[in-house]
Amino acid sequence: MSVESAGQGPWPGPEQGPGPGPGSEPGSEPGSLCPEHGQALRWFCCSERRPVCVACAGLGGRCRGHRIRRAEERAEELRNKIVDQCERLQLQSATITKYVADILPGKNQRAVSTASAARELVIQRLGLVRSLCESEEQRLLEQVHGEEERAHQSILTQRVHWAEALQKLDTIRTSLVDMLTHLDDLQLIQKEQEIFERTEEAEGILDPKESEKLNFNEKCTRSPLLTQLWATAVLGSLSGTEDVRINERTVSPFLQLSDDQRTLTFNAKKSKTCADGPERFDHWPNALATTSFQAGLHAWTVNVENSCAYKVGVALGQLPRKGSGSDSRLGYNAFSWVFSRYDQEFRFSHDGQHEPLALLRCPAQLGVLLDLQAQELLFYEAGSGTVLHTHHASFPGPLFPVFAVADQTISIVR
């Protein structure tokens, strides 16, 4: 028990005992008496945090042994706290009033000014982009028109040339037929030199051959600026990347496929538990996706930051799966188109043709964009949207996403 509960100081002695009945103590008011003892609640139990009477705090009371204070002391303490809180509230109100009166108007003015500057910046930049696009559009359309005119002129020239050739052949043939039908033996022998010259002249007229000069060259429409803008627009308009998963039946025994069918891990030792099948690659560490694409726009992303040896691209379903030859090696046959990395060397490969790519940094995530309407395959850095390589081809059939890894892991990002 505290000092106050030990009979010292203000604590009431035993001779004080229970006082008169309810309402008889000086200063008592209705409702301020102990419901258990009927005495005035002039003390405060610090343990139970409530007012009590002298009997509650006595030897037989429920608050025996608790720290007891006078109720007026506790009330005075609370009054002081209220005063302190009111002073703090007054200071807080003054701070808020000053903030509203002095700070917010300045904030509002700066917000309006900053918004105006941002608006001007957007207009300026979009205006520059628009101007650049218009200039590029005009340049490309002029190139298309020029290429069309060139092809048209080449065709006209060929028409004139072959019309003259036909006329010359017809003249020679008419002359030879006339000799054949109207000359006797002696006359025909006398015309031998002329026959030889006419025949030699006819043989000098060669047969028509296919020429690229007669075709419209679609390369005139290719522009790095247009490709980058197109890729950015397409990637921004797509609702999301494809849910590409790897076909377990195609996975090489040198690769381990995760349960979610999105991660390939390279193993130097060939798995003995991997059942062979007609779809499985048995030598090169390759794998095909479960689905193929035949039309439209498709995009998917592969996390390649942990691997220094991988290939990502597309392949036809006819891609051979068996043996160590080039037929089943990605990029070394006519069935596959891949972006590859080996250490710090990057390249695009198809049908044994390898095009080195000069990259400033190793992409952490490699994106693939396949536009089957335009017959275009595009590889880009997923983080920045930077186009790394584009390839135009006439794809002969449905294309499967294809993967190969010979170091660590690669994962399809979902």
Side-chain angles (χ1 to χ4, degrees):
M1 182 180 295
S2 68
V3 173
E4 291 171 325
S5 63
Q8 300 180 12
W11 184 253
E15 70 280 357
Q16 290 178 277
S24 62
E25 293 193 32
S28 65
E29 297 178 0
S32 63
L33 300 180
C34 175
E36 184 178 352
H37 302 104
Q39 297 190 33
L41 300 173
R42 295 179 176 174
W43 302 89
F44 179 77
C45 177
C46 297
S47 299
E48 297 188 4
R49 311 294 295 174
R50 68 183 184 89
V52 296
C53 69
V54 66
C56 291
L59 294 177
R62 61 182 294 175
C63 296
R64 174 190 173 193
H66 295 177
R67 182 171 178 267
I68 304 298
R69 300 179 61 188
R70 287 186 178 277
E72 58 264 29
E73 293 179 0
R74 176 59 180 166
E76 184 64 23
E77 183 181 82
L78 292 175
R79 289 188 184 93
N80 292 335
K81 286 185 176 181
I82 292 173
V83 171
D84 291 341
Q85 184 62 39
C86 288
E87 290 177 351
R88 283 194 292 271
L89 291 176
Q90 187 175 2
L91 290 174
Q92 186 177 7
S93 297
T95 300
I96 292 175
T97 301
K98 179 178 175 58
Y99 179 79
V100 172
D102 299 340
I103 304 299
L104 286 184
K107 289 281 187 182
N108 184 65
Q109 185 176 359
R110 282 192 293 274
V112 171
S113 175
T114 304
S116 178
R119 194 176 294 110
E120 289 297 326
L121 180 62
V122 170
I123 294 173
Q124 179 187 11
R125 289 188 174 181
L126 286 177
L128 178 61
V129 171
R130 190 178 298 110
S131 175
L132 188 60
C133 288
E134 290 174 353
S135 298
E136 188 69 357
E137 178 185 17
Q138 182 176 356
R139 184 183 73 83
L140 291 174
L141 290 179
E142 288 176 355
Q143 286 192 183
V144 169
H145 179 71
E147 176 61 18
E148 182 184 25
E149 286 293 315
R150 184 206 61 75
H152 180 65
Q153 190 62 43
S154 295
I155 293 171
L156 288 179
T157 301
Q158 286 287 304
R159 285 183 181 277
V160 172
H161 170 75
W162 292 114
E164 292 176 352
L166 285 172
Q167 185 177 3
K168 185 178 293 186
L169 288 174
D170 186 63
T171 301
I172 295 173
R173 181 177 178 277
T174 301
S175 174
L176 291 176
V177 170
D178 185 67
M179 289 182 186
L180 183 64
T181 57
H182 293 92
L183 297 181
D184 57 24
D185 293 349
L186 182 59
Q187 290 173 325
L188 194 62
I189 293 173
Q190 291 175 343
K191 293 285 186 178
E192 182 178 359
Q193 181 62 31
E194 183 178 347
I195 294 172
F196 173 77
E197 291 175 354
R198 292 298 180 96
T199 303
E200 191 176 52
E201 183 181 3
E203 290 176 350
I205 301 174
L206 303 178
D207 293 336
K209 292 184 178 180
E210 178 60 32
S211 172
E212 286 297 324
K213 293 182 179 180
L214 301 178
N215 299 327
F216 180 88
N217 185 2
E218 295 183 7
K219 291 183 179 180
C220 68
T221 63
R222 296 178 188 175
S223 157
L225 173 63
L226 179 59
T227 299
Q228 183 67 62
L229 291 174
W230 172 81
T232 302
V234 167
L235 295 173
S237 64
L238 288 177
S239 58
T241 56
E242 300 286 344
D243 184 14
V244 175
R245 294 174 186 263
I246 296 168
N247 187 347
E248 190 277 333
R249 295 191 299 272
T250 69
V251 176
S252 163
F254 290 99
L255 299 178
Q256 181 180 348
L257 181 63
S258 63
D259 293 337
D260 64 0
Q261 297 179 293
R262 292 195 179 100
T263 300
L264 290 170
T265 302
F266 176 71
N267 293 316
K269 293 185 178 180
K270 190 174 184 178
S271 173
K272 297 180 179 179
T273 61
C274 188
D276 194 15
E279 298 179 74
R280 191 178 305 283
F281 293 95
D282 67 353
H283 179 80
W284 299 108
N286 304 339
L288 284 176
T290 55
T291 56
S292 63
F293 306 122
Q294 302 185 53
L297 275 171
H298 305 276
W300 60 96
T301 305
V302 184
N303 189 330
V304 294
E305 64 178 339
N306 295 324
S307 179
C308 290
Y310 61 81
K311 294 179 181 180
V312 174
V314 295
L316 296 170
Q318 303 96 299
L319 176 67
R321 317 295 171 88
K322 307 302 180 182
S324 59
S326 296
D327 284 350
S328 58
R329 189 178 184 183
L330 299 185
Y332 284 78
N333 49 66
F335 306 104
S336 57
W337 298 257
V338 293
F339 176 102
S340 66
R341 175 188 178 184
Y342 182 75
D343 198 14
Q344 297 301 311
E345 178 183 325
F346 298 88
R347 62 187 184 182
F348 173 79
S349 300
H350 168 65
D351 203 13
Q353 302 297 313
H354 309 289
E355 182 178 348
L357 304 177
L359 272 60
L360 297 178
R361 59 184 179 184
C362 302
Q365 291 189 345
L366 180 64
V368 184
L369 180 60
L370 178 63
D371 184 355
L372 287 168
Q373 180 179 0
Q375 296 287 286
E376 184 173 9
L377 176 64
L378 184 148
F379 298 93
Y380 64 95
E381 186 179 20
S384 64
T386 303
V387 175
L388 304 177
H389 182 71
T390 57
H391 180 74
H392 299 263
S394 296
F395 300 113
L399 295 173
F400 289 83
V402 68
F403 313 89
V405 57
D407 174 61
Q408 301 297 322
T409 65
I410 61 173
S411 300
I412 302 170
V413 178
R414 177 57 178 163

